[in-house]
Amino acid sequence: MLTAIGDGNLDRFKALDPALRARGVMGGFDPSDDSIALPMDVLRASASDPQKANTLRMVFGHEIEHSINKTDIARNGEASRQEIARIAAGPSPHDYTAILKSHNDSARLRESNDQIAGFNVLAAHVRRENPDATPGQLYAKLYASSDQMQQYFDVGLDADGKRTYAPKAGLTIGANGQIAVNADNVEAMGKYFYDRNRYPEVYTHRNLSQAYRAELDAARADPGRPAPEVKVDLQALKLPGFPLPPGFSDSSPGLAPPAPRAPPESAPRPAEPATRSPFLDPSARSPGGPGSEDRAYFQLLRERLPEHVPDHAVAHAMLQAKRGGLEADQIDPSKIGLSEGKIWIGGSTPGFHVSVDPKQAPPMEQVQRELQTLSSAQPGAPAVAAEALEPQGGRSR
């Protein structure tokens, strides 16, 4: 912290935006005012709740690394912006796969390294509190220190039925309880922290939004040029099916050719399941069924889409929007509709939409299962925000 302050990269602390906190974010570094944002609910409880205090220790460790590396983060971000602008202004085809992958790979290394720093800050505290703990006891103490630590340990039972704790495969924890920064540990942290908490989707969504705006800017600068082919290989990004902006196509090998355009909105209503949607029928609610937030989200879409669009297609569109980082509070209701046979959902962030073909929507039961799988990942939401807090309204998540 003193290094960051001395370098002029850390000047203040502030309250985390409640909207970000509601999505599970625990903190962030804002380079615009050199501040670290903290969750007020956790901070207030930290004096009486050791787990909350320990969670803040981990957040501090991670965000301080961001502040120390502020210049490098800004340089990498600017390099990505320039490459996106170059592609948008260049000849067709415009392939954004390489720059999206490059940015995500560098972010993965940085975020993983910074999360190791957060882990080690908390581990140092736990070891000070338990100087004589054996390795097994230390693992148990680390696991119990904060819910943010639990994603790094496997839990088992010994011959006597007592719980045992061990670092997850690939992670090596030293006798001091800390993780050394080496290739194996960084890769493992990338798997258990960066990948598990859906950071690739955060960065891809953000950069795709930037690419979409760059395409619009380039078209306005040269209105007479033919429309370019704009593509992204989602398979190469390990994000199959990730929603793309309007006009972007998925160039993943082996994809079937695009389906013919659907008939206009006056087409006959597709067949629907005999039962009412669990998102609308109170009697259909059951354990594991849609929660109140998903029901409200579904209703928002249902009321703005033609009646002949079946409920399972509306739910599938909601699923795809959520996968793309568009929660209900990020949707512009005026940008929900059916156009050329596709459901379109527009975000409040200008220029980013999700489009879904109703004919490709799976049955409601499958949509529900996928929504439950998506929701089950939320308790493990990132302990920290992606590399930097942007001005309000500028974040994709």
Side-chain angles (χ1 to χ4, degrees), residues 4-276:
I5 293 170
D7 290 344
N9 293 349
L10 179 59
D11 187 60
R12 69 191 66 190
F13 297 95
K14 64 184 180 183
L16 181 67
D17 182 346
L20 293 177
R21 181 71 187 97
R23 294 178 208 139
V25 176
M26 291 295 295
F29 172 68
D30 186 345
S32 68
D33 61 1
D34 296 326
S35 66
I36 288 178
L38 297 172
M40 290 297 97
D41 59 313
V42 180
L43 186 60
R44 293 188 191 101
S46 62
S48 58
D49 187 333
Q51 278 208 337
K52 295 290 195 301
N54 286 336
T55 295
L56 285 178
R57 288 183 171 95
M58 181 174 280
V59 172
F60 268 118
H62 186 112
E63 297 304 337
I64 290 166
E65 286 294 306
H66 280 337
S67 65
I68 289 174
N69 296 317
K70 170 188 171 181
T71 301
D72 287 340
I73 291 172
R75 186 184 299 116
N76 290 337
E78 180 59 27
S80 294
R81 282 188 286 272
Q82 290 181 5
E83 177 62 9
I84 286 172
R86 185 195 67 78
I87 294 171
S92 181
H94 296 174
D95 190 343
Y96 288 96
T97 307
I99 183 57
L100 294 176
K101 186 176 187 304
S102 174
H103 190 278
N104 191 56
D105 288 348
S106 64
R108 191 175 192 265
L109 289 173
R110 183 177 60 255
E111 294 283 4
S112 300
N113 176 81
D114 295 350
Q115 186 63 3
I116 287 176
F119 184 106
N120 288 345
V121 167
L122 177 49
H125 170 75
V126 171
R127 173 51 93 183
R128 280 195 303 270
E129 296 289 304
N130 303 275
D132 300 322
T134 65
Q137 292 169 337
L138 182 59
Y139 298 156
K141 294 289 185 181
L142 289 169
Y143 180 90
S145 64
S146 166
D147 58 4
Q148 297 295 328
M149 273 287 193
Q150 295 173 9
Q151 57 196 320
Y152 308 120
F153 291 90
D154 289 324
V155 182
L157 294 174
D158 64 14
D160 298 323
K162 295 182 179 179
R163 299 181 83 185
T164 60
Y165 304 88
K168 284 192 174 290
L171 274 180
T172 300
I173 298 178
N176 60 359
Q178 299 186 31
I179 298 174
V181 180
N182 57 43
D184 290 341
N185 282 332
V186 169
E187 173 58 30
M189 186 60 74
K191 176 181 178 181
Y192 301 122
F193 173 71
Y194 188 87
D195 297 342
R196 178 182 181 272
N197 291 310
R198 302 173 62 193
Y199 275 88
E201 297 175 32
V202 173
Y203 284 113
T204 299
H205 176 72
R206 181 186 297 178
N207 288 329
L208 280 172
S209 297
Q210 188 173 34
Y212 182 77
R213 291 192 295 270
E215 289 289 335
L216 294 179
D217 291 342
R220 282 192 290 265
D222 186 5
R225 76 173 188 177
E229 178 189 3
V230 186
K231 58 186 181 179
V232 178
D233 184 344
L234 293 176
Q235 183 175 308
L237 298 178
K238 299 180 181 179
L239 292 172
F242 192 80
L244 293 170
F248 285 53
S249 64
D250 183 0
S251 60
S252 299
L255 283 182
R261 287 187 175 183
E265 285 82 347
S266 59
R269 182 173 181 170
E272 287 189 50
T275 56
R276 284 281 289 164

